[in-house]
Amino acid sequence: SQKIEQNSEALNIQEGKTATLTCNYTNYSPAYLQWYRQDPGRGPVFLLLIRENEKEKRKERLKVTFDTTLKQSLFHITASQPADSATYLCALDANNAGNMLTFGGGTRLMVKP
Amino acid sequence: KAGVTQTPRYLIKTRGQQVTLSCSPISGHRSVSWYQQTPGQGLQFLFEYFSETQRNKGNFPGRFSGRQFSNSRSEMNVSTLELGDSALYLCASSPGPASTDTQYFGPGTRLTVL
């Protein structure tokens, strides 16, 4: 069956360290993968998109990698800050036909000062 | 530009009733997608509309329906509400149906079914 898995346990790290979140998928062949941030009671906010032919994408303190062989994406936040505390969701194009995003369960990140 | 707006923000209904939720996309966006978010199931795709046509539908019963108007505004309807329909319903818009379009989410409608 098709699955997108993110670590359901919260990730606690110290301010200034690099946070690394994992997204694994099975039985999908996505053309792209997206990462979103969601704060409690609010809708997800788009962060980064990486295509299947891209190995790495960067935006300010954020970096995403995409390994289609391992079927895995890693999301890194460098020099993390308490304001980065949120739930981070990965999503992929489930049927290569349009805006049908399938989301992982999300990982809650807690950055402690 | 104004963001995606959803109304109402909060709603309380009882079992068996029906409900209609509204979504106004970002100006110029023609695609609207709907998602249901619950603690147990996470974010699940309901359906997507582009230019008033339903392009994709998720694995939800026929009680869940939607439509899109010529101004791209969209509504979703849930009939014969069940307790399990309690959730945050999120709407997202994007400029077009291309698979690499960023989706912009609204704040959601929190539906509670008693």
Side-chain angles (χ1 to χ4, degrees), chain A residues 31-32 34 36 38 40-47 49 51 87 89 93 95-105, chain B residues 9 31 33 35 37 43 45 48 55-58 88 90 94 96-108 110:
Chain A
Y32 66 91
Q34 300 185 9
Y36 288 79
Q38 187 173 25
R42 310 188 78 162
V45 174
F46 171 80
L47 296 174
L49 178 151
R51 294 180 175 82
T87 295
L89 301 154
D93 175 24
N95 61 1
N96 293 335
N99 292 334
M100 184 173 171
L101 284 183
T102 297
F103 283 82
Chain B
R9 292 292 312 278
S31 170
S33 298
Y35 297 84
Q37 187 172 34
L43 257 173
F45 173 81
E48 183 227 345
R55 294 185 67 243
N56 291 306
K57 190 175 194 299
L88 180 68
L90 291 158
S94 61
S99 62
T100 56
D101 264 346
T102 300
Q103 295 209 51
Y104 298 84
F105 282 83
R110 172 75 62 185

Side-chain angles (χ1 to χ4, degrees), chain A residues 2-8 21-26 28 35 71-73 90 92 102-107:
Chain A
Q2 295 177 313
K3 282 192 293 187
I4 304 173
E5 293 181 311
Q6 296 183 256
N7 193 340
S8 59
L21 286 68
T22 304
C23 176
N24 295 298
Y25 60 92
T26 53
Y28 286 107
W35 283 88
K71 296 188 181 297
Q72 180 182 78
S73 176
C90 69
L92 52 80
T102 297
F103 283 82
T107 297

Side-chain angles (χ1 to χ4, degrees), chain A residues 29-63:
Chain A
S29 297
Y32 66 91
L33 190 145
Q34 300 185 9
W35 283 88
Y36 288 79
R37 168 185 173 142
Q38 187 173 25
D39 292 286
R42 310 188 78 162
V45 174
F46 171 80
L47 296 174
L48 280 169
L49 178 151
I50 186 165
R51 294 180 175 82
E52 60 179 337
N53 60 349
E54 298 175 316
K55 295 293 184 189
E56 182 180 298
K57 202 86 169 273
R58 291 175 185 261
K59 179 183 174 183
E60 297 171 354
R61 294 184 297 111
L62 308 180
K63 184 178 86 170

